Amino acid sequence: MIKGILGKKLGMSQLFKEDGEMVPVTLIQTGACYVVQKKTVERDGYAALQVGFGAKKPSRINKPDKGHQDKAGKGYFYYLREVECDDVAAVNEGDEVKPADIFAKGDKIKITGVSKGKGFQGVMRRHHFSGNPGAHGSLIHRSSGSIGSSADPSKVIKGKRMAGQMGNKQVTVKNLEVIDIREADGIIAVKGAVPGSRGQIVILKKQEG
């Protein structure tokens, strides 16, 4: 069984459950995903499936990628990602991966995406530092202050929380509940927020346990 599928984040909305409870949901367009390549233990050292998502015009693809994706015979794709599979031998290149084949209402899944980039930020916003005194006597208000000792170890310790780029990192959110699956439209509604902005490509995976 394939354990993951690709999708595009459409945005947030709200749905009502059967008992009348209103839940905030994120809508994800899964569309048509196809198996482009099978990874086997004998040849690659591990077992996985490479899945393609997002149709691409033949004129927009280079020759190496064209030769690679021609083997599946399902056209060309913008995005290729690997997902786990229990039995790779039972899947063929070119097979379509549908969300209803993997997920069901009420399932707990995990979603991986790239978080929104917020640019270069200081320590107060990036790490929630309290800051320095704000009165007139203080000349430094939002700085991090001392970042290390002088003589020993005479360096800034690796991993020190400092100012820098905020966001734009791969993030995985677990325990997201599948509220609805609209197979005709290829849309999955999951409870809560999903990493990334609208149009961001995300990977939906079956959560074990």
Side-chain angles (χ1 to χ4, degrees):
M1 178 180 177
I2 303 175
K3 296 184 178 180
I5 194 172
L6 298 182
K8 180 172 69 173
K9 179 178 176 180
L10 298 179
M12 294 199 69
S13 183
Q14 58 188 29
L15 293 177
F16 290 90
K17 289 186 175 181
E18 290 78 1
D19 59 0
E21 179 190 0
M22 189 274 288
V23 292
V25 297
T26 300
L27 302 179
I28 300 173
Q29 178 76 55
T30 56
C33 287
Y34 293 94
V35 177
V36 175
Q37 183 186 20
K38 295 199 300 182
K39 301 277 188 175
T40 61
V41 177
E42 296 77 18
R43 184 185 62 203
D44 304 291
Y46 65 99
L49 295 176
Q50 188 181 75
V51 179
F53 175 76
K56 192 175 189 178
K57 294 180 180 179
S59 60
R60 304 287 293 176
I61 192 169
N62 57 35
K63 285 186 177 180
D65 285 341
K66 184 176 184 296
H68 174 67
Q69 299 186 35
D70 274 340
K71 299 175 183 177
K74 292 296 181 179
Y76 310 107
F77 305 97
Y78 274 102
Y79 308 100
L80 299 175
R81 298 291 187 274
E82 289 187 4
V83 296
E84 297 179 16
C85 181
D86 291 330
D87 188 6
V88 176
V91 182
N92 297 317
E93 293 177 349
D95 286 354
E96 184 177 358
V97 184
K98 298 180 180 179
D101 298 335
I102 307 174
F103 311 117
K105 287 185 180 180
D107 283 354
K108 295 291 185 179
I109 65 174
K110 57 182 179 180
I111 298 181
T112 301
V114 178
S115 62
K116 292 181 180 179
K118 296 178 172 62
F120 190 99
Q121 301 295 336
V123 292
M124 291 184 68
R125 176 166 183 185
R126 190 183 185 202
H127 300 297
H128 309 291
F129 282 16
S130 61
N132 290 289
H136 293 290
S138 175
L139 300 178
I140 302 174
H141 302 293
R142 300 182 64 88
S143 172
S144 62
S146 175
I147 59 174
S149 53
S150 57
D152 184 23
S154 298
K155 64 178 181 180
V156 178
I157 301 298
K158 185 177 182 179
K160 184 72 176 178
R161 294 183 296 170
M162 299 174 66
Q165 185 189 41
M166 183 177 177
N168 195 31
K169 293 183 178 180
Q170 181 173 294
V171 179
T172 298
V173 180
K174 299 181 179 180
N175 295 316
L176 294 173
E177 181 185 354
V178 177
I179 301 299
D180 191 17
I181 299 178
R182 301 175 184 175
E183 192 169 359
D185 301 322
I187 293 178
I188 295 180
V190 296
K191 184 178 181 179
V194 170
S197 55
R198 294 186 185 94
Q200 175 70 47
I201 297 300
V202 295
I203 306 176
L204 296 81
K205 296 181 181 179
K206 189 90 171 179
Q207 188 164 306
E208 303 295 338

